[in-house]
Amino acid sequence: MTALTRLFVSDNAACVHPRVWDAMRAADGPDMPYDGDALSQALDARFSALFGRECAVIWTSTGTAANALALACLTPPFAGIVCHYDAHVEADEGGAPEFYTHGAKLMLAGGEGAKVTPEGIAKVIDPIRDDVHRVQPHTLALTQATEEGRVYSPGELAALTAFARERGLRVHLDGARFANAVAHLGCAPADAGPAHGIDTLSFGFIKNGGMSAEALVVFDTGLAMEARRRRKRAGQLQSKGRYLAAQLHAMLDDDLWLANGRAANAAAQTIAQAAPDRLLQPVEANEIFMTLTAPEREALRNQGFAFYDWSDSSARFVTCWNTSEEDAGALAAALAAL
């Protein structure tokens, strides 16, 4: 078998962007510990300018921590969190949301492309009686882009957040691939989520060229101190926080985060266009889901391509900010030749 030299397994496999390394080296001087350094203290203003509304920002070292801390700030232990049954907080975070919230229940809704709808949410929560015998829904957790590579439009987000407010639900947006969603929509960053009244956003940077820093963005600024206290209690308050803050600043500088998202999306389109009849979902971000038989998957791996089996008859390919035209083209040619 040919060595697996072309990785389409995950955007977590991507390299750290050189500008992120440069920013960390530039931060290599004495400064206040924890989040008292100048770079950490400047994050609120940077992200408030990006989204056009006041927010508080705390760095964490993982997206799991950002999501779980946000949900813990929004949801009491005795309440419920509505999310899609394929949502990362349900399927891929090892029970961290339940752990950080001290027991909140995840309530699972369906929806094509891992997207929930007001109707789908209502189907889950409307039958719940308002009495002591049933866990009451309290928070709605959305993912932008979704776990199946789909993107909520501004109109869809507006409808979902309006429904949530009508039903008394707080709203968290898991933005592990937020950059890819904004790149696909071609809209202002706020229109991809924050403009529609969400309470918290986990803004992913590690998949998009960062190293070890994600941003938990809190739009309900009354929750900011609670988020910081919970970060400390969760073991996420690093003593040399300036190196995490430096990464976030580097990604914001000249909209590097958005350029990287566009590059990953463009590589995904190259691959998708090679075998459109195989697509299981429209390609709207940097994930491609295709129908492939076991022998076809083996043939691709024999040519050096690494990817995930999605089911017995399908596969998932993920492009990155630094997926080369050569690698994307090689995979596209291999798929077309099957």
Side-chain angles (χ1 to χ4, degrees):
M1 178 181 287
T2 304
L4 296 175
T5 57
R6 288 175 165 142
L7 294 177
F8 294 91
V9 173
S10 170
D11 31 16
N12 288 315
C15 301
V16 176
H17 196 283
R19 284 168 55 180
V20 172
W21 286 119
D22 290 344
M24 294 176 69
R25 281 190 287 268
D28 195 19
D31 207 332
M32 296 298 289
Y34 305 109
D35 60 357
D37 60 278
L39 290 171
S40 295
Q41 291 292 304
L43 288 174
D44 289 2
R46 288 294 307 269
F47 281 83
S48 294
L50 178 68
F51 291 122
R53 57 180 292 196
E54 184 182 3
C55 60
V57 177
I58 68 171
W59 41 253
T60 68
S61 63
T62 68
T64 294
N67 283 330
L69 285 168
L71 292 172
C73 289
L74 298 175
T75 316
F78 51 81
I81 300 164
V82 183
C83 65
H84 194 277
Y85 56 74
D86 280 336
H88 205 271
V89 294
E90 157 64 13
D92 293 289
E93 292 189 336
E98 296 93 331
F99 178 75
Y100 276 58
T101 60
H102 302 290
K105 180 181 178 64
L106 297 183
M107 298 173 165
L108 309 182
E112 191 270 335
K115 296 168 74 172
V116 297
T117 63
E119 296 77 16
I121 299 165
K123 187 176 180 179
V124 173
I125 67 175
D126 282 357
I128 297 174
R129 300 184 306 274
D130 185 9
D131 62 32
V132 297
H133 300 283
R134 302 291 297 272
V135 172
Q136 301 299 306
H138 196 90
T139 302
L140 172 62
L142 305 171
T143 310
Q144 179 77 308
T146 76
E147 288 73 16
E148 294 185 16
R150 301 295 300 277
V151 174
Y152 288 103
S153 70
E156 288 172 321
L157 289 166
L160 283 163
T161 53
F163 175 84
R165 297 306 177 208
E166 176 187 315
R167 298 303 183 90
L169 303 177
R170 308 301 295 271
V171 182
H172 169 63
L173 189 65
D174 176 354
R177 295 186 173 95
F178 186 74
N180 305 98
V182 176
H184 170 74
L185 292 171
C187 64
D191 291 333
H196 307 289
I198 66 171
D199 296 294
T200 54
L201 163 70
S202 59
F203 193 161
F205 290 98
I206 296 174
K207 293 180 186 296
N208 195 34
M211 184 182 120
S212 59
E214 306 278 55
L216 170 51
V217 186
V218 182
F219 295 102
D220 180 351
T221 54
L223 294 175
M225 185 52 69
E226 180 178 354
R228 291 188 169 95
R229 290 193 178 103
R230 286 181 180 271
R231 175 177 61 174
K232 173 61 177 179
R233 190 167 187 263
Q236 284 286 317
L237 181 58
Q238 296 195 25
S239 62
K240 296 182 179 179
R242 60 190 179 276
Y243 296 101
L244 281 78
Q247 296 175 53
L248 301 183
H249 282 287
M251 294 294 287
L252 292 183
D253 287 345
D254 301 319
D255 287 334
L256 178 61
W257 65 278
L258 185 54
N260 286 355
R262 287 171 176 156
N265 287 9
Q269 289 298 322
T270 296
I271 296 162
Q273 291 165 13
D277 293 343
R278 293 181 178 271
L279 294 176
L280 295 172
Q281 295 285 344
V283 178
E284 297 175 345
N286 64 322
E287 295 180 286
I288 310 107
F289 298 86
M290 286 188 170
T291 299
L292 290 168
T293 66
E296 288 172 333
R297 283 175 275 148
E298 182 180 5
L300 290 174
R301 289 188 170 108
N302 285 338
Q303 295 175 65
F305 299 105
F307 52 90
Y308 276 136
D309 293 337
W310 196 247
S311 70
D312 291 340
S313 59
S314 64
R316 184 193 77 165
F317 303 90
V318 185
T319 55
C320 308
W321 70 270
N322 64 337
T323 297
S324 67
E325 292 184 12
E326 178 185 358
D327 283 354
L331 177 56
L335 286 165
L338 288 175

